[in-house]
Amino acid sequence: MIAISREKFVLNISRFIVFIGLISGLMYWRIDHIYRCLVALIGLYIPDIVQNKFPHPPDKLKHILKPIYNDKTMAVLGVFIAVHVSLVNVPFTTIDLFHKEWRDADMISHFLGGLTVWLITAEVVNEFSNHLSLKKRQFILYSFLLFFTLGIGWEIAEKLSEGEISFIRETAGNKVRDIIMDTLGALFGLYLVEEKRFPFRLKLNNG
């Protein structure tokens, strides 16, 4: 019997939950959720595909691709996607907590999303830290600048797409709350990296 790591196990559980979501979407023929789950499943299998096909990434790309080769980071991504998919469509029901029945459920997704996006962004910055001789403050500054650029960009894109989806209408206050939850998730990620050295260790040259 081939033993798998705890991180791979978490990732496999996340894939199974998303697969359950796909079955639920097919049961009630919810097209948007079928597409969502298919994209999520493909995304969750990308780490295995990349790791198997390219066990040694090219030197020019290895820093940028580092999160994909880190099973701990990918496990966090898997948990985020599994939870989000389940909130958007509770398995074996037509309940959409995220957009309809319990709109505050998006706080959970934004917290986990903020955690995941910051960890991925920070891990890339961390890989470049030795080359750039980054200090701790610089690492935090650059990682959060990239994080907020992505987060605010996403909120703007989401606002512009509201006209395409009739039941999605978010106020300015809701957008602010989303960014706050994103930030809390990112700060939790910073705590994990600094205090728990999870899912990666800092490579800063100057503490």
Side-chain angles (χ1 to χ4, degrees):
M1 184 176 179
I2 299 176
I4 63 172
S5 67
R6 179 176 56 185
E7 291 77 23
K8 288 289 189 183
F9 178 75
V10 170
L11 194 54
N12 285 336
I13 292 295
S14 299
R15 291 164 178 160
F16 178 72
I17 292 173
V18 175
F19 178 73
I20 293 295
L22 175 60
I23 297 300
S24 301
L26 290 169
M27 284 175 60
Y28 297 100
W29 201 241
R30 185 174 168 185
I31 303 298
D32 64 320
H33 199 58
I34 294 172
Y35 289 150
R36 181 180 298 110
C37 290
L38 284 173
V39 171
L41 277 176
I42 293 171
L44 290 178
Y45 274 103
I46 285 178
D48 282 359
I49 295 172
V50 172
Q51 290 176 20
N52 291 332
K53 292 290 185 180
F54 308 100
H56 304 290
D59 288 340
K60 292 182 179 179
L61 298 176
K62 66 180 181 180
H63 297 316
I64 296 175
L65 296 177
K66 179 63 176 180
I68 295 179
Y69 286 84
N70 186 343
D71 290 339
K72 293 179 180 179
T73 303
M74 292 298 98
V76 174
L77 173 65
V79 171
F80 161 55
I81 291 178
V83 170
H84 178 67
V85 164
S86 298
L87 289 174
V88 175
N89 190 51
V90 177
F92 304 118
T93 74
T94 58
I95 297 174
D96 181 348
L97 294 175
F98 194 88
H99 295 123
K100 297 180 180 179
E101 280 80 4
W102 183 41
R103 295 293 297 274
D104 290 340
D106 70 340
M107 296 174 66
I108 300 172
S109 285
H110 278 284
F111 178 84
L112 292 175
L115 167 64
T116 304
V117 172
W118 184 84
L119 286 176
I120 292 173
T121 301
E123 189 164 9
V124 173
V125 174
N126 186 52
E127 287 300 304
F128 284 99
S129 61
N130 281 339
H131 300 285
L132 301 176
S133 298
L134 296 183
K135 296 181 180 180
K136 183 178 177 180
R137 287 185 180 180
Q138 292 174 313
F139 164 77
I140 294 174
L141 174 63
Y142 295 154
S143 63
F144 272 88
L145 278 176
L146 286 172
F147 168 77
F148 281 119
T149 298
L150 293 172
I152 294 173
W154 171 262
E155 293 298 331
I156 292 173
E158 194 175 50
K159 187 66 177 178
L160 293 175
S161 68
E162 282 187 358
E164 303 298 322
I165 307 175
S166 61
F167 56 81
I168 297 180
R169 290 289 184 274
E170 293 188 347
T171 64
N174 184 270
K175 291 296 183 187
V176 172
R177 189 185 70 176
D178 290 348
I179 293 174
I180 290 174
M181 294 308 299
D182 290 341
T183 304
L184 290 176
L187 290 173
F188 181 60
L190 178 60
Y191 164 77
L192 290 177
V193 170
E194 282 195 308
E195 301 298 328
K196 305 298 182 180
R197 297 177 180 178
F198 178 91
F200 58 86
R201 293 173 179 264
L202 292 177
K203 297 182 177 180
L204 305 179
N205 288 330
N206 301 293

